[in-house]
Amino acid sequence: MKTIVYILHSEKLNRFYTGLTTLNIEERLNNHLEKKYSSLNFTRKANDWKIFLFIECKSTSHGRKLELFIKKMKSSKFIWSLKDDPEKLQNIIERTNQS
């Protein structure tokens, strides 16, 4: 089962949302847009979420570590840098896969 760490972006809110899924990424996005996740009040605030970045992980445990690392940074500047600097992203993927 493939695990995906994904980052959504809302221009309306000018915010990012980072999550983890085993679903197809498009299906997961549609579920957010259709407000199917009652516990995720954050993504209910906007209806313009777009996939900003997604990373396929080799295991669920690695995906969780990567997701938590990104969330811990609490920085949109950091998230933009993941897309702008593939080498930086690769280093973080490798580092979270080892721990």
PDB file of all heavy atoms in Angstrom, residues 21-54:
ATOM      1  N   THR A  21      -1.941  10.197   3.350  1.00  0.00           N
ATOM      2  CA  THR A  21      -3.031   9.373   2.834  1.00  0.00           C
ATOM      3  C   THR A  21      -2.506   8.114   2.171  1.00  0.00           C
ATOM      4  O   THR A  21      -1.347   8.066   1.747  1.00  0.00           O
ATOM      5  CB  THR A  21      -3.894  10.169   1.821  1.00  0.00           C
ATOM      6  OG1 THR A  21      -5.050   9.406   1.495  1.00  0.00           O
ATOM      7  CG2 THR A  21      -3.128  10.489   0.553  1.00  0.00           C
ATOM      8  N   THR A  22      -3.378   7.133   2.078  1.00  0.00           N
ATOM      9  CA  THR A  22      -3.104   5.945   1.277  1.00  0.00           C
ATOM     10  C   THR A  22      -4.041   5.925   0.076  1.00  0.00           C
ATOM     11  O   THR A  22      -4.000   5.007  -0.733  1.00  0.00           O
ATOM     12  CB  THR A  22      -3.277   4.653   2.103  1.00  0.00           C
ATOM     13  OG1 THR A  22      -4.585   4.630   2.661  1.00  0.00           O
ATOM     14  CG2 THR A  22      -2.228   4.562   3.197  1.00  0.00           C
ATOM     15  N   LEU A  23      -4.892   6.942  -0.029  1.00  0.00           N
ATOM     16  CA  LEU A  23      -5.793   7.069  -1.172  1.00  0.00           C
ATOM     17  C   LEU A  23      -5.053   7.669  -2.361  1.00  0.00           C
ATOM     18  O   LEU A  23      -3.986   8.260  -2.221  1.00  0.00           O
ATOM     19  CB  LEU A  23      -6.963   8.007  -0.832  1.00  0.00           C
ATOM     20  CG  LEU A  23      -7.919   7.581   0.278  1.00  0.00           C
ATOM     21  CD1 LEU A  23      -8.927   8.696   0.539  1.00  0.00           C
ATOM     22  CD2 LEU A  23      -8.619   6.301  -0.090  1.00  0.00           C
ATOM     23  N   ASN A  24      -5.655   7.577  -3.520  1.00  0.00           N
ATOM     24  CA  ASN A  24      -5.192   8.298  -4.688  1.00  0.00           C
ATOM     25  C   ASN A  24      -5.218   9.784  -4.348  1.00  0.00           C
ATOM     26  O   ASN A  24      -6.172  10.266  -3.742  1.00  0.00           O
ATOM     27  CB  ASN A  24      -6.136   7.959  -5.851  1.00  0.00           C
ATOM     28  CG  ASN A  24      -5.892   8.802  -7.063  1.00  0.00           C
ATOM     29  OD1 ASN A  24      -6.114  10.013  -7.049  1.00  0.00           O
ATOM     30  ND2 ASN A  24      -5.455   8.159  -8.117  1.00  0.00           N
ATOM     31  N   ILE A  25      -4.193  10.517  -4.733  1.00  0.00           N
ATOM     32  CA  ILE A  25      -4.063  11.917  -4.333  1.00  0.00           C
ATOM     33  C   ILE A  25      -5.228  12.777  -4.836  1.00  0.00           C
ATOM     34  O   ILE A  25      -5.706  13.665  -4.131  1.00  0.00           O
ATOM     35  CB  ILE A  25      -2.681  12.494  -4.751  1.00  0.00           C
ATOM     36  CG1 ILE A  25      -2.444  13.854  -4.122  1.00  0.00           C
ATOM     37  CG2 ILE A  25      -2.538  12.554  -6.248  1.00  0.00           C
ATOM     38  CD1 ILE A  25      -2.287  13.836  -2.641  1.00  0.00           C
ATOM     39  N   GLU A  26      -5.713  12.507  -6.033  1.00  0.00           N
ATOM     40  CA  GLU A  26      -6.851  13.270  -6.571  1.00  0.00           C
ATOM     41  C   GLU A  26      -8.118  12.985  -5.765  1.00  0.00           C
ATOM     42  O   GLU A  26      -8.908  13.892  -5.497  1.00  0.00           O
ATOM     43  CB  GLU A  26      -7.078  12.952  -8.046  1.00  0.00           C
ATOM     44  CG  GLU A  26      -5.965  13.427  -8.956  1.00  0.00           C
ATOM     45  CD  GLU A  26      -5.834  14.943  -9.008  1.00  0.00           C
ATOM     46  OE1 GLU A  26      -6.840  15.651  -8.802  1.00  0.00           O
ATOM     47  OE2 GLU A  26      -4.710  15.418  -9.251  1.00  0.00           O
ATOM     48  N   GLU A  27      -8.303  11.727  -5.377  1.00  0.00           N
ATOM     49  CA  GLU A  27      -9.456  11.357  -4.559  1.00  0.00           C
ATOM     50  C   GLU A  27      -9.400  12.062  -3.202  1.00  0.00           C
ATOM     51  O   GLU A  27     -10.393  12.572  -2.701  1.00  0.00           O
ATOM     52  CB  GLU A  27      -9.498   9.838  -4.368  1.00  0.00           C
ATOM     53  CG  GLU A  27     -10.665   9.346  -3.576  1.00  0.00           C
ATOM     54  CD  GLU A  27     -10.666   7.833  -3.402  1.00  0.00           C
ATOM     55  OE1 GLU A  27      -9.822   7.132  -4.010  1.00  0.00           O
ATOM     56  OE2 GLU A  27     -11.527   7.351  -2.640  1.00  0.00           O
ATOM     57  N   ARG A  28      -8.211  12.093  -2.628  1.00  0.00           N
ATOM     58  CA  ARG A  28      -8.053  12.759  -1.332  1.00  0.00           C
ATOM     59  C   ARG A  28      -8.362  14.255  -1.446  1.00  0.00           C
ATOM     60  O   ARG A  28      -9.046  14.822  -0.599  1.00  0.00           O
ATOM     61  CB  ARG A  28      -6.630  12.542  -0.818  1.00  0.00           C
ATOM     62  CG  ARG A  28      -6.371  13.104   0.553  1.00  0.00           C
ATOM     63  CD  ARG A  28      -7.145  12.375   1.623  1.00  0.00           C
ATOM     64  NE  ARG A  28      -6.762  12.895   2.925  1.00  0.00           N
ATOM     65  CZ  ARG A  28      -7.017  12.327   4.057  1.00  0.00           C
ATOM     66  NH1 ARG A  28      -7.697  11.208   4.091  1.00  0.00           N
ATOM     67  NH2 ARG A  28      -6.633  12.860   5.192  1.00  0.00           N
ATOM     68  N   LEU A  29      -7.863  14.888  -2.504  1.00  0.00           N
ATOM     69  CA  LEU A  29      -8.155  16.303  -2.724  1.00  0.00           C
ATOM     70  C   LEU A  29      -9.659  16.520  -2.862  1.00  0.00           C
ATOM     71  O   LEU A  29     -10.223  17.426  -2.234  1.00  0.00           O
ATOM     72  CB  LEU A  29      -7.433  16.825  -3.969  1.00  0.00           C
ATOM     73  CG  LEU A  29      -7.799  18.244  -4.403  1.00  0.00           C
ATOM     74  CD1 LEU A  29      -7.436  19.256  -3.323  1.00  0.00           C
ATOM     75  CD2 LEU A  29      -7.131  18.580  -5.731  1.00  0.00           C
ATOM     76  N   ASN A  30     -10.319  15.702  -3.656  1.00  0.00           N
ATOM     77  CA  ASN A  30     -11.770  15.830  -3.830  1.00  0.00           C
ATOM     78  C   ASN A  30     -12.508  15.655  -2.513  1.00  0.00           C
ATOM     79  O   ASN A  30     -13.490  16.363  -2.248  1.00  0.00           O
ATOM     80  CB  ASN A  30     -12.291  14.839  -4.878  1.00  0.00           C
ATOM     81  CG  ASN A  30     -11.877  15.232  -6.276  1.00  0.00           C
ATOM     82  OD1 ASN A  30     -11.650  16.403  -6.569  1.00  0.00           O
ATOM     83  ND2 ASN A  30     -11.747  14.251  -7.148  1.00  0.00           N
ATOM     84  N   ASN A  31     -12.047  14.757  -1.674  1.00  0.00           N
ATOM     85  CA  ASN A  31     -12.669  14.576  -0.363  1.00  0.00           C
ATOM     86  C   ASN A  31     -12.543  15.838   0.483  1.00  0.00           C
ATOM     87  O   ASN A  31     -13.468  16.211   1.200  1.00  0.00           O
ATOM     88  CB  ASN A  31     -12.068  13.377   0.371  1.00  0.00           C
ATOM     89  CG  ASN A  31     -12.489  12.057  -0.233  1.00  0.00           C
ATOM     90  OD1 ASN A  31     -13.415  11.973  -1.039  1.00  0.00           O
ATOM     91  ND2 ASN A  31     -11.808  10.996   0.148  1.00  0.00           N
ATOM     92  N   HIS A  32     -11.405  16.500   0.407  1.00  0.00           N
ATOM     93  CA  HIS A  32     -11.234  17.768   1.123  1.00  0.00           C
ATOM     94  C   HIS A  32     -12.182  18.826   0.561  1.00  0.00           C
ATOM     95  O   HIS A  32     -12.854  19.534   1.307  1.00  0.00           O
ATOM     96  CB  HIS A  32      -9.793  18.273   1.032  1.00  0.00           C
ATOM     97  CG  HIS A  32      -8.850  17.617   1.977  1.00  0.00           C
ATOM     98  ND1 HIS A  32      -8.869  17.822   3.339  1.00  0.00           N
ATOM     99  CD2 HIS A  32      -7.824  16.746   1.749  1.00  0.00           C
ATOM    100  CE1 HIS A  32      -7.907  17.119   3.908  1.00  0.00           C
ATOM    101  NE2 HIS A  32      -7.255  16.453   2.969  1.00  0.00           N
ATOM    102  N   LEU A  33     -12.225  18.927  -0.763  1.00  0.00           N
ATOM    103  CA  LEU A  33     -13.064  19.940  -1.396  1.00  0.00           C
ATOM    104  C   LEU A  33     -14.550  19.703  -1.124  1.00  0.00           C
ATOM    105  O   LEU A  33     -15.330  20.653  -1.027  1.00  0.00           O
ATOM    106  CB  LEU A  33     -12.801  19.986  -2.905  1.00  0.00           C
ATOM    107  CG  LEU A  33     -11.408  20.475  -3.309  1.00  0.00           C
ATOM    108  CD1 LEU A  33     -11.193  20.304  -4.803  1.00  0.00           C
ATOM    109  CD2 LEU A  33     -11.198  21.918  -2.896  1.00  0.00           C
ATOM    110  N   GLU A  34     -14.939  18.438  -1.015  1.00  0.00           N
ATOM    111  CA  GLU A  34     -16.337  18.088  -0.727  1.00  0.00           C
ATOM    112  C   GLU A  34     -16.619  18.072   0.767  1.00  0.00           C
ATOM    113  O   GLU A  34     -17.709  17.701   1.194  1.00  0.00           O
ATOM    114  CB  GLU A  34     -16.670  16.739  -1.359  1.00  0.00           C
ATOM    115  CG  GLU A  34     -16.631  16.778  -2.873  1.00  0.00           C
ATOM    116  CD  GLU A  34     -16.709  15.411  -3.517  1.00  0.00           C
ATOM    117  OE1 GLU A  34     -16.935  14.402  -2.803  1.00  0.00           O
ATOM    118  OE2 GLU A  34     -16.537  15.335  -4.746  1.00  0.00           O
ATOM    119  N   LYS A  35     -15.634  18.455   1.569  1.00  0.00           N
ATOM    120  CA  LYS A  35     -15.753  18.573   3.024  1.00  0.00           C
ATOM    121  C   LYS A  35     -16.211  17.266   3.681  1.00  0.00           C
ATOM    122  O   LYS A  35     -17.051  17.250   4.565  1.00  0.00           O
ATOM    123  CB  LYS A  35     -16.673  19.732   3.386  1.00  0.00           C
ATOM    124  CG  LYS A  35     -16.149  21.044   2.815  1.00  0.00           C
ATOM    125  CD  LYS A  35     -17.022  22.201   3.129  1.00  0.00           C
ATOM    126  CE  LYS A  35     -16.608  23.518   2.557  1.00  0.00           C
ATOM    127  NZ  LYS A  35     -15.463  23.702   1.786  1.00  0.00           N
ATOM    128  N   LYS A  36     -15.617  16.166   3.231  1.00  0.00           N
ATOM    129  CA  LYS A  36     -15.960  14.845   3.761  1.00  0.00           C
ATOM    130  C   LYS A  36     -15.272  14.529   5.082  1.00  0.00           C
ATOM    131  O   LYS A  36     -15.586  13.545   5.716  1.00  0.00           O
ATOM    132  CB  LYS A  36     -15.623  13.759   2.735  1.00  0.00           C
ATOM    133  CG  LYS A  36     -16.545  13.770   1.554  1.00  0.00           C
ATOM    134  CD  LYS A  36     -16.332  12.572   0.683  1.00  0.00           C
ATOM    135  CE  LYS A  36     -17.349  12.563  -0.440  1.00  0.00           C
ATOM    136  NZ  LYS A  36     -17.194  11.396  -1.307  1.00  0.00           N
ATOM    137  N   TYR A  37     -14.317  15.353   5.483  1.00  0.00           N
ATOM    138  CA  TYR A  37     -13.585  15.094   6.713  1.00  0.00           C
ATOM    139  C   TYR A  37     -14.060  16.056   7.791  1.00  0.00           C
ATOM    140  O   TYR A  37     -13.541  17.159   7.936  1.00  0.00           O
ATOM    141  CB  TYR A  37     -12.072  15.236   6.491  1.00  0.00           C
ATOM    142  CG  TYR A  37     -11.557  14.310   5.409  1.00  0.00           C
ATOM    143  CD1 TYR A  37     -11.073  14.806   4.213  1.00  0.00           C
ATOM    144  CD2 TYR A  37     -11.586  12.936   5.599  1.00  0.00           C
ATOM    145  CE1 TYR A  37     -10.606  13.963   3.225  1.00  0.00           C
ATOM    146  CE2 TYR A  37     -11.124  12.077   4.617  1.00  0.00           C
ATOM    147  CZ  TYR A  37     -10.637  12.594   3.430  1.00  0.00           C
ATOM    148  OH  TYR A  37     -10.177  11.750   2.454  1.00  0.00           O
ATOM    149  N   SER A  38     -15.052  15.630   8.546  1.00  0.00           N
ATOM    150  CA  SER A  38     -15.649  16.517   9.551  1.00  0.00           C
ATOM    151  C   SER A  38     -14.653  16.908  10.645  1.00  0.00           C
ATOM    152  O   SER A  38     -14.774  17.962  11.247  1.00  0.00           O
ATOM    153  CB  SER A  38     -16.877  15.867  10.174  1.00  0.00           C
ATOM    154  OG  SER A  38     -16.523  14.646  10.804  1.00  0.00           O
ATOM    155  N   SER A  39     -13.658  16.070  10.879  1.00  0.00           N
ATOM    156  CA  SER A  39     -12.686  16.380  11.922  1.00  0.00           C
ATOM    157  C   SER A  39     -11.621  17.381  11.450  1.00  0.00           C
ATOM    158  O   SER A  39     -10.854  17.893  12.251  1.00  0.00           O
ATOM    159  CB  SER A  39     -12.004  15.098  12.410  1.00  0.00           C
ATOM    160  OG  SER A  39     -11.267  14.525  11.354  1.00  0.00           O
ATOM    161  N   LEU A  40     -11.571  17.641  10.154  1.00  0.00           N
ATOM    162  CA  LEU A  40     -10.568  18.559   9.619  1.00  0.00           C
ATOM    163  C   LEU A  40     -11.201  19.924   9.350  1.00  0.00           C
ATOM    164  O   LEU A  40     -11.407  20.327   8.217  1.00  0.00           O
ATOM    165  CB  LEU A  40      -9.950  17.998   8.336  1.00  0.00           C
ATOM    166  CG  LEU A  40      -9.178  16.694   8.491  1.00  0.00           C
ATOM    167  CD1 LEU A  40      -8.682  16.195   7.148  1.00  0.00           C
ATOM    168  CD2 LEU A  40      -8.005  16.879   9.436  1.00  0.00           C
ATOM    169  N   ASN A  41     -11.493  20.636  10.416  1.00  0.00           N
ATOM    170  CA  ASN A  41     -12.119  21.944  10.270  1.00  0.00           C
ATOM    171  C   ASN A  41     -11.252  22.912   9.485  1.00  0.00           C
ATOM    172  O   ASN A  41     -11.761  23.824   8.846  1.00  0.00           O
ATOM    173  CB  ASN A  41     -12.446  22.535  11.646  1.00  0.00           C
ATOM    174  CG  ASN A  41     -13.570  21.787  12.311  1.00  0.00           C
ATOM    175  OD1 ASN A  41     -14.476  21.300  11.645  1.00  0.00           O
ATOM    176  ND2 ASN A  41     -13.514  21.681  13.623  1.00  0.00           N
ATOM    177  N   PHE A  42      -9.949  22.722   9.526  1.00  0.00           N
ATOM    178  CA  PHE A  42      -9.041  23.636   8.836  1.00  0.00           C
ATOM    179  C   PHE A  42      -9.321  23.672   7.335  1.00  0.00           C
ATOM    180  O   PHE A  42      -9.400  24.736   6.737  1.00  0.00           O
ATOM    181  CB  PHE A  42      -7.590  23.249   9.106  1.00  0.00           C
ATOM    182  CG  PHE A  42      -6.614  24.214   8.520  1.00  0.00           C
ATOM    183  CD1 PHE A  42      -6.293  25.387   9.196  1.00  0.00           C
ATOM    184  CD2 PHE A  42      -6.025  23.980   7.293  1.00  0.00           C
ATOM    185  CE1 PHE A  42      -5.395  26.302   8.654  1.00  0.00           C
ATOM    186  CE2 PHE A  42      -5.127  24.881   6.749  1.00  0.00           C
ATOM    187  CZ  PHE A  42      -4.820  26.040   7.431  1.00  0.00           C
ATOM    188  N   THR A  43      -9.465  22.501   6.708  1.00  0.00           N
ATOM    189  CA  THR A  43      -9.667  22.488   5.255  1.00  0.00           C
ATOM    190  C   THR A  43     -11.092  22.864   4.871  1.00  0.00           C
ATOM    191  O   THR A  43     -11.345  23.160   3.710  1.00  0.00           O
ATOM    192  CB  THR A  43      -9.297  21.128   4.628  1.00  0.00           C
ATOM    193  OG1 THR A  43     -10.086  20.100   5.202  1.00  0.00           O
ATOM    194  CG2 THR A  43      -7.814  20.834   4.802  1.00  0.00           C
ATOM    195  N   ARG A  44     -12.007  22.900   5.817  1.00  0.00           N
ATOM    196  CA  ARG A  44     -13.377  23.333   5.535  1.00  0.00           C
ATOM    197  C   ARG A  44     -13.458  24.839   5.307  1.00  0.00           C
ATOM    198  O   ARG A  44     -14.429  25.340   4.760  1.00  0.00           O
ATOM    199  CB  ARG A  44     -14.307  22.970   6.695  1.00  0.00           C
ATOM    200  CG  ARG A  44     -14.508  21.496   6.847  1.00  0.00           C
ATOM    201  CD  ARG A  44     -15.343  21.205   8.095  1.00  0.00           C
ATOM    202  NE  ARG A  44     -15.972  19.921   7.943  1.00  0.00           N
ATOM    203  CZ  ARG A  44     -17.186  19.734   7.456  1.00  0.00           C
ATOM    204  NH1 ARG A  44     -17.935  20.735   7.113  1.00  0.00           N
ATOM    205  NH2 ARG A  44     -17.667  18.519   7.328  1.00  0.00           N
ATOM    206  N   LYS A  45     -12.430  25.570   5.713  1.00  0.00           N
ATOM    207  CA  LYS A  45     -12.448  27.032   5.636  1.00  0.00           C
ATOM    208  C   LYS A  45     -12.320  27.562   4.212  1.00  0.00           C
ATOM    209  O   LYS A  45     -12.550  28.733   3.976  1.00  0.00           O
ATOM    210  CB  LYS A  45     -11.320  27.621   6.489  1.00  0.00           C
ATOM    211  CG  LYS A  45     -11.472  27.339   7.961  1.00  0.00           C
ATOM    212  CD  LYS A  45     -10.285  27.866   8.735  1.00  0.00           C
ATOM    213  CE  LYS A  45     -10.395  27.486  10.195  1.00  0.00           C
ATOM    214  NZ  LYS A  45      -9.231  27.926  10.964  1.00  0.00           N
ATOM    215  N   ALA A  46     -11.909  26.718   3.277  1.00  0.00           N
ATOM    216  CA  ALA A  46     -11.719  27.168   1.893  1.00  0.00           C
ATOM    217  C   ALA A  46     -12.229  26.103   0.932  1.00  0.00           C
ATOM    218  O   ALA A  46     -12.328  24.928   1.282  1.00  0.00           O
ATOM    219  CB  ALA A  46     -10.251  27.452   1.630  1.00  0.00           C
ATOM    220  N   ASN A  47     -12.537  26.547  -0.266  1.00  0.00           N
ATOM    221  CA  ASN A  47     -12.995  25.602  -1.286  1.00  0.00           C
ATOM    222  C   ASN A  47     -12.106  25.663  -2.531  1.00  0.00           C
ATOM    223  O   ASN A  47     -12.493  25.195  -3.591  1.00  0.00           O
ATOM    224  CB  ASN A  47     -14.450  25.882  -1.659  1.00  0.00           C
ATOM    225  CG  ASN A  47     -14.639  27.295  -2.183  1.00  0.00           C
ATOM    226  OD1 ASN A  47     -13.692  28.054  -2.267  1.00  0.00           O
ATOM    227  ND2 ASN A  47     -15.865  27.638  -2.509  1.00  0.00           N
ATOM    228  N   ASP A  48     -10.928  26.234  -2.368  1.00  0.00           N
ATOM    229  CA  ASP A  48     -10.022  26.381  -3.508  1.00  0.00           C
ATOM    230  C   ASP A  48      -8.696  25.631  -3.315  1.00  0.00           C
ATOM    231  O   ASP A  48      -7.683  25.992  -3.891  1.00  0.00           O
ATOM    232  CB  ASP A  48      -9.746  27.856  -3.772  1.00  0.00           C
ATOM    233  CG  ASP A  48      -8.926  28.526  -2.677  1.00  0.00           C
ATOM    234  OD1 ASP A  48      -8.978  28.064  -1.519  1.00  0.00           O
ATOM    235  OD2 ASP A  48      -8.235  29.518  -2.978  1.00  0.00           O
ATOM    236  N   TRP A  49      -8.713  24.573  -2.514  1.00  0.00           N
ATOM    237  CA  TRP A  49      -7.480  23.815  -2.266  1.00  0.00           C
ATOM    238  C   TRP A  49      -6.959  23.222  -3.567  1.00  0.00           C
ATOM    239  O   TRP A  49      -7.718  22.702  -4.373  1.00  0.00           O
ATOM    240  CB  TRP A  49      -7.725  22.695  -1.256  1.00  0.00           C
ATOM    241  CG  TRP A  49      -8.053  23.202   0.097  1.00  0.00           C
ATOM    242  CD1 TRP A  49      -9.279  23.225   0.689  1.00  0.00           C
ATOM    243  CD2 TRP A  49      -7.151  23.798   1.032  1.00  0.00           C
ATOM    244  NE1 TRP A  49      -9.195  23.785   1.933  1.00  0.00           N
ATOM    245  CE2 TRP A  49      -7.900  24.154   2.168  1.00  0.00           C
ATOM    246  CE3 TRP A  49      -5.790  24.065   1.018  1.00  0.00           C
ATOM    247  CZ2 TRP A  49      -7.330  24.758   3.280  1.00  0.00           C
ATOM    248  CZ3 TRP A  49      -5.227  24.662   2.122  1.00  0.00           C
ATOM    249  CH2 TRP A  49      -5.989  25.001   3.234  1.00  0.00           C
ATOM    250  N   LYS A  50      -5.657  23.314  -3.737  1.00  0.00           N
ATOM    251  CA  LYS A  50      -4.982  22.712  -4.885  1.00  0.00           C
ATOM    252  C   LYS A  50      -3.788  21.916  -4.349  1.00  0.00           C
ATOM    253  O   LYS A  50      -3.215  22.261  -3.322  1.00  0.00           O
ATOM    254  CB  LYS A  50      -4.469  23.791  -5.835  1.00  0.00           C
ATOM    255  CG  LYS A  50      -5.557  24.701  -6.380  1.00  0.00           C
ATOM    256  CD  LYS A  50      -5.432  24.867  -7.845  1.00  0.00           C
ATOM    257  CE  LYS A  50      -6.443  25.788  -8.473  1.00  0.00           C
ATOM    258  NZ  LYS A  50      -7.802  25.669  -8.130  1.00  0.00           N
ATOM    259  N   ILE A  51      -3.441  20.868  -5.081  1.00  0.00           N
ATOM    260  CA  ILE A  51      -2.273  20.086  -4.690  1.00  0.00           C
ATOM    261  C   ILE A  51      -1.036  20.923  -4.983  1.00  0.00           C
ATOM    262  O   ILE A  51      -0.787  21.310  -6.120  1.00  0.00           O
ATOM    263  CB  ILE A  51      -2.210  18.752  -5.449  1.00  0.00           C
ATOM    264  CG1 ILE A  51      -3.438  17.911  -5.130  1.00  0.00           C
ATOM    265  CG2 ILE A  51      -0.919  18.004  -5.113  1.00  0.00           C
ATOM    266  CD1 ILE A  51      -3.627  16.719  -6.043  1.00  0.00           C
ATOM    267  N   PHE A  52      -0.278  21.216  -3.951  1.00  0.00           N
ATOM    268  CA  PHE A  52       0.944  21.999  -4.077  1.00  0.00           C
ATOM    269  C   PHE A  52       2.128  21.068  -4.309  1.00  0.00           C
ATOM    270  O   PHE A  52       2.974  21.319  -5.156  1.00  0.00           O
ATOM    271  CB  PHE A  52       1.149  22.838  -2.815  1.00  0.00           C
ATOM    272  CG  PHE A  52       2.393  23.661  -2.831  1.00  0.00           C
ATOM    273  CD1 PHE A  52       2.440  24.841  -3.539  1.00  0.00           C
ATOM    274  CD2 PHE A  52       3.530  23.252  -2.132  1.00  0.00           C
ATOM    275  CE1 PHE A  52       3.600  25.608  -3.563  1.00  0.00           C
ATOM    276  CE2 PHE A  52       4.685  24.010  -2.155  1.00  0.00           C
ATOM    277  CZ  PHE A  52       4.719  25.186  -2.874  1.00  0.00           C
ATOM    278  N   LEU A  53       2.156  19.970  -3.547  1.00  0.00           N
ATOM    279  CA  LEU A  53       3.275  19.036  -3.609  1.00  0.00           C
ATOM    280  C   LEU A  53       2.817  17.717  -3.009  1.00  0.00           C
ATOM    281  O   LEU A  53       2.024  17.714  -2.068  1.00  0.00           O
ATOM    282  CB  LEU A  53       4.447  19.593  -2.792  1.00  0.00           C
ATOM    283  CG  LEU A  53       5.759  18.827  -2.748  1.00  0.00           C
ATOM    284  CD1 LEU A  53       6.432  18.831  -4.123  1.00  0.00           C
ATOM    285  CD2 LEU A  53       6.699  19.450  -1.724  1.00  0.00           C
ATOM    286  N   PHE A  54       3.288  16.615  -3.570  1.00  0.00           N
ATOM    287  CA  PHE A  54       3.055  15.328  -2.918  1.00  0.00           C
ATOM    288  C   PHE A  54       4.274  14.451  -3.071  1.00  0.00           C
ATOM    289  O   PHE A  54       5.007  14.553  -4.047  1.00  0.00           O
ATOM    290  CB  PHE A  54       1.775  14.645  -3.422  1.00  0.00           C
ATOM    291  CG  PHE A  54       1.825  14.151  -4.838  1.00  0.00           C
ATOM    292  CD1 PHE A  54       2.181  12.846  -5.115  1.00  0.00           C
ATOM    293  CD2 PHE A  54       1.506  14.998  -5.890  1.00  0.00           C
ATOM    294  CE1 PHE A  54       2.209  12.382  -6.423  1.00  0.00           C
ATOM    295  CE2 PHE A  54       1.535  14.554  -7.193  1.00  0.00           C
ATOM    296  CZ  PHE A  54       1.888  13.238  -7.465  1.00  0.00           C
TER     297      PHE A  54
END
